[in-house]
Amino acid sequence: EHIAGGLITQHREFVLNIPVASMIHGFDRIDFSSSRPGDKYGLSGFTRGTAATVKAPTVNEAPIQLECRVSHILRVPPVRTVFIADVVATTVHEGICDADGRLRPESAAFFGMMAGCGEFYTVDRKVGHIGQSVGRTDIRY
């Protein structure tokens, strides 16, 4: 349980900032100082932005920012909280999506942390597509 969980419970809004590999160090610094008071933006080197719809800050450098409103809060024993939220606004930097609004994963080195090992991996290499096992190439999201 981080301080952020209490703030999300209180305000019922948050912004999910989708980072890229060049931001790993800053995001890791924020994560490991999340329980300490202080200027997280100054510590990370990121720029604080203003969300369009919710009253929560954004990270300007994040190429995708999802503004969310909490609809349900689930307590999962022994000490976890799961927030179910609706995305009410999205900001996407130019070049991240194609002309139809579809994400272009090759446009940026998005990353995630692998559960169980704590290591970061990028997700910028195509390894297949939905429907490939049945020969479909027409499915688009």
Side-chain angles (χ1 to χ4, degrees), residues 24-74:
I24 287 172
H25 186 75
F27 267 79
D28 192 54
R29 265 199 138 162
I30 291 170
D31 186 40
F32 274 86
S33 67
S34 64
S35 62
R36 297 183 199 113
D39 177 12
K40 305 296 190 256
Y41 288 90
L43 181 65
S44 67
F46 298 142
T47 309
R48 181 185 183 106
T50 303
T53 304
V54 303
K55 291 180 178 136
T58 64
V59 174
N60 281 344
E61 292 81 1
I64 301 175
Q65 302 156 11
L66 305 173
E67 299 180 34
C68 304
R69 281 210 180 97
V70 175
S71 60
H72 298 84
I73 300 173
L74 307 172

Side-chain angles (χ1 to χ4, degrees), residues 126-138:
K126 181 180 174 182
V127 295
H129 63 272
I130 189 168
Q132 68 184 12
S133 63
V134 293
R136 299 271 309 267
T137 60
D138 61 320

Side-chain angles (χ1 to χ4, degrees), residues 92 95-105 107 129 139-141:
V92 180
I96 299 298
C97 290
D98 65 16
D100 296 323
R102 289 182 50 226
L103 179 67
R104 295 177 49 243
S107 68
H129 63 272
I139 301 172
R140 300 286 183 258
Y141 283 90

